[in-house]
Amino acid sequence: MKLSKPEIIEKSINNNWLNVFLVPNPILAIITRIIIDNYNLKKENILIVSLRDTSLEIFDHNYLIIQRKKYDKYLEKIFFDSPSGRRVLRKINSTHKNFLLFSGWAYREVNWLITKHNCKGHIHVEEGQSAYASYTEYKFDKLDLFERIRMNISNRIVPTAHIPHLEGTGLAFRDDAEAYIGIDERSFSLMPSSKRYILKDFKEVKKYYEPKILGKKIIGLTCSASRVPKKENMIKMLKKLIDHLPTNSLIKPHPSYTSSNEVFKEFTDIFNDLDSKKIELCDSTVMLEIEMMYEKKIIIGPQSSLSVYTESLGSEYKFIQLY
């Protein structure tokens, strides 16, 4: 574990590379802001990419918002393509710079982007539970065809406990990553110590954010849309969550419900048809991690990355089974 600056970031600064941050959730947005401030990255050499409708309120940098298109999933799974990666690369290439990529783990867009000639390296950044799991590095170039197909189709951390040469990796973190950056000494605990960097002053990010839900102390979290793919299952999930919440609470939909206007409309239509006990939906720009820096909250929901940080921020997380 180190407190200094990764050598690859020093190279990026000295050579005016573009630092590209893939931001799929609030915690990675927060840590991205901390990285920028701690390492004094130049504003003109930063690109923030919002995935899954993640709020970029705490940034005043160049940004790109990725909205998935209707046929993206077919191009991804059938042709091993990355339409979102292509959109990011077009933005990068418009700057005529080499780039350093930052991401939570090695998902499809990451694996696609780091093959490009102007990518000079990649860094994994803490984004929640995966940084605290017992995963080790894996060698991407050692994956056989079946493993690559399975990885491409699922595009998520997968069970590898009993697969020879992949045991316990989860296919999450590539061994060619230049560094791992976290905010807790427990993060990335099984990664090589020479690559681990821990940043402090987590709460400094408060100054970039104006609290939006002061006085609202109980917030319910939904599960992801993939957990309840059928409409009737989504209704049951919402009813169960509402039953666990007192009147005048808030519900924060999972980003999988807000990243598409079409999906979010269906979600809100279903929610509005339920007896919601004057419970309201939380705006997607609300960052609960920072809200908890201003006021103690009680968070009620399923297994979530947010649970990793709730206690350290002086709040409480109550687990419930929603699916």
Side-chain angles (χ1 to χ4, degrees), residues 5 11 23 35 56 179-180 237 255 268 271 278 304 308:
K5 185 185 301 177
K11 287 182 179 179
V23 181
I35 289 172
L56 302 183
Y180 296 86
M237 179 269 292
T268 52
F271 177 80
K278 295 184 179 180
S304 165
V308 175

Side-chain angles (χ1 to χ4, degrees), residues 80 143-150:
F80 279 64
L143 296 182
D144 61 29
L145 180 60
F146 170 78
E147 289 158 354
R148 293 192 185 211
I149 291 173
R150 182 175 73 142

Side-chain angles (χ1 to χ4, degrees), residues 145-158:
L145 180 60
F146 170 78
E147 289 158 354
R148 293 192 185 211
I149 291 173
R150 182 175 73 142
M151 184 181 189
N152 181 65
I153 290 174
S154 67
N155 196 34
R156 64 178 62 192
I157 296 174
V158 298

Side-chain angles (χ1 to χ4, degrees), residues 27-252:
I27 191 62
L28 213 150
I30 290 168
I31 299 176
T32 292
R33 182 78 239 198
I34 296 170
I35 289 172
I36 291 169
D37 290 353
N38 268 265
Y39 296 141
N40 296 313
L41 301 182
K42 293 181 180 178
K43 187 174 181 179
E44 62 268 25
N45 290 336
I46 293 170
L47 173 63
I48 312 294
V49 181
S50 171
L51 305 173
R52 301 200 310 179
D53 195 40
T54 302
S55 172
L56 302 183
E57 177 183 341
I58 61 176
F59 300 101
D60 58 351
H61 303 81
N62 191 18
Y63 68 90
L64 175 66
I65 297 175
I66 296 295
Q67 294 280 358
R68 287 177 58 79
K69 308 297 183 183
K70 185 175 181 180
Y71 297 107
D72 281 2
K73 61 182 179 182
Y74 302 110
L75 294 170
E76 291 166 348
K77 295 183 179 182
I78 297 173
F79 298 105
F80 279 64
D81 196 8
S82 176
S84 294
R86 289 185 182 277
R87 293 170 197 130
V88 175
L89 187 64
R90 279 198 295 270
K91 183 74 171 181
I92 293 170
N93 288 344
S94 70
T95 69
H96 306 289
K97 293 180 178 180
N98 294 321
F99 69 98
L100 176 61
L101 187 66
F102 296 75
S103 71
W105 58 282
Y107 43 88
R108 181 184 291 114
E109 289 77 13
V110 176
N111 289 324
W112 191 88
L113 283 166
I114 62 181
T115 65
K116 306 311 162 192
H117 69 90
N118 49 343
C119 181
K120 296 302 179 182
H122 69 285
I123 291 174
H124 290 311
V125 179
E126 178 179 336
E127 71 164 15
Q129 295 177 82
S130 60
Y132 296 87
S134 298
Y135 297 131
T136 55
E137 294 181 317
Y138 76 96
K139 296 182 182 295
F140 184 83
D141 59 0
K142 296 293 186 182
L143 296 182
D144 61 29
L145 180 60
F146 170 78
E147 289 158 354
R148 293 192 185 211
I149 291 173
R150 182 175 73 142
M151 184 181 189
N152 181 65
I153 290 174
S154 67
N155 196 34
R156 64 178 62 192
I157 296 174
V158 298
T160 57
H162 305 294
I163 301 176
H165 78 273
L166 290 177
E167 184 175 349
T169 67
L171 294 180
F173 306 116
R174 295 171 55 132
D175 71 338
D176 53 359
E178 300 283 349
Y180 296 86
I181 300 177
I183 56 171
D184 189 289
E185 292 184 4
R186 299 168 298 167
S187 63
F188 300 119
S189 62
L190 297 184
M191 300 305 154
S193 59
S194 61
K195 291 185 179 184
R196 293 177 64 227
Y197 295 81
I198 305 301
L199 299 178
K200 304 297 182 181
D201 303 322
F202 177 58
K203 294 185 179 181
E204 284 295 306
V205 77
K206 276 180 67 175
K207 62 188 177 185
Y208 299 112
Y209 179 87
E210 195 70 32
K212 300 177 177 63
I213 56 171
L214 289 177
K216 294 284 189 177
K217 297 190 177 182
I218 301 180
I219 300 100
L221 302 182
T222 74
C223 61
S224 70
S226 64
R227 300 293 186 182
V228 285
K230 295 181 180 179
K231 182 177 179 179
E232 57 266 33
N233 294 334
M234 189 200 303
I235 293 172
K236 288 180 183 178
M237 179 269 292
L238 281 172
K239 283 182 176 179
K240 188 177 289 187
L241 181 57
I242 289 169
D243 287 344
H244 280 83
L245 297 173
T247 299
N248 295 319
S249 302
L250 293 174
I251 286 179
K252 184 86 158 58

